[in-house]
Amino acid sequence: MSSSLQPITLYAHGGSPNPLKVAIILEELSVPYKIVNLSSAELKQEPYTTINPNGRVPAIEDPNTGISLWESGAIIQYLVERYDGDGRISTTTVPEKYQLNQWLQFQVSGQGPYFGQAWWFLYFHPEPLPSAQERYINEVERVTAVLDSWLQSHPFLVGQKLTYADLSFVPYANAVLHTSAVSRNGKLFEAGKYAAYSRWLHVLLARPSVKKILAQFPPTER
Ligand SMILES: N[C@@H](CCC(=O)N[C@@H](CS)C(=O)NCC(=O)O)C(=O)O
């Protein structure tokens, strides 16, 4: 990507997973960026709520186009459309470009929220609710099983190459690995139960962009 580009501002909150998805995509596309880390209080007040009225991260401001966006899926789609003209991590062929969007939507609406709710009911909810904990841990496993089933006969989520759809799953998949209650003390991946998923995740975790971002924002061990 041309070095004449001005850095995109990426708003984050510590090592929380959704902004890391965007950081990985920016790394893959060699688009310059700077991360602005906001406190919990700053997320919920001006001036940030003018950028994102939902008071969450990520959001971006791109000085090259004047475009400001929030919601990680929308941001990723913008970045690949604008900065991946040579198809490094995307494709414009049909039906693949729609399938990329499909898997991205599955990440944003499935993997992310279920893990987030599992984490909430395990560590933050004011009273212990084992049934809620179990429900969301089960949903994380169900999403893992969906991915594993597809990956048993496909090297990547779409086509023969790694794309933004694959990369979008990395921060939460890595968080699962480091959250013993959600990985059921590692039993989720024991004895090759989700072998295709594990093979795929290892390929993703070895990617230089992923290694760089996860080293900068190591997951919380629980
Ligand atoms: N659907 C949103 C979810 C954003 C989200 O939940 N972000 C979390 C961090 S991963 C956040 O801002 N948490 C802080 C808070 O809710 O105050 C997206 O994909 O961007």
Side-chain angles (χ1 to χ4, degrees), residues 97-136:
K97 73 171 187 172
Y98 300 114
Q99 293 165 343
L100 289 178
N101 186 28
Q102 162 201 280
W103 285 108
L104 178 64
Q105 300 299 329
F106 181 55
Q107 190 289 317
V108 169
S109 65
Q111 187 210 36
Y114 287 134
F115 179 85
Q117 292 301 315
W119 185 269
W120 169 265
F121 281 108
L122 282 163
Y123 306 119
F124 296 104
H125 199 63
E127 70 258 18
L129 283 180
S131 59
Q133 294 171 2
E134 197 52 26
R135 165 168 166 75
Y136 289 112

Side-chain angles (χ1 to χ4, degrees), residues 1 3 6 30 33 39-40 47 60 95 97 105 119 127 130 144 148 172-173 180-181 184 197-198 212 214 217-218:
M1 190 53 58
S3 58
Q6 299 175 65
S30 304
Y33 65 97
S39 67
S40 300
I60 61 160
K97 73 171 187 172
Q105 300 299 329
W119 185 269
E127 70 258 18
T144 304
D148 182 75
Y172 279 103
S180 58
R184 303 185 201 278
Y197 173 92
S198 298
K212 179 176 171 182
L214 294 183
F217 299 97

Side-chain angles (χ1 to χ4, degrees), residues 13 16-19 21 40 43-44 54-58 70-73 108 172:
H13 176 55
S16 59
N18 281 306
K21 295 184 321 204
S40 300
L43 287 178
K44 310 297 178 197
N54 195 31
R56 292 191 167 194
V57 285
W70 48 281
E71 279 295 326
S72 59
V108 169
Y172 279 103

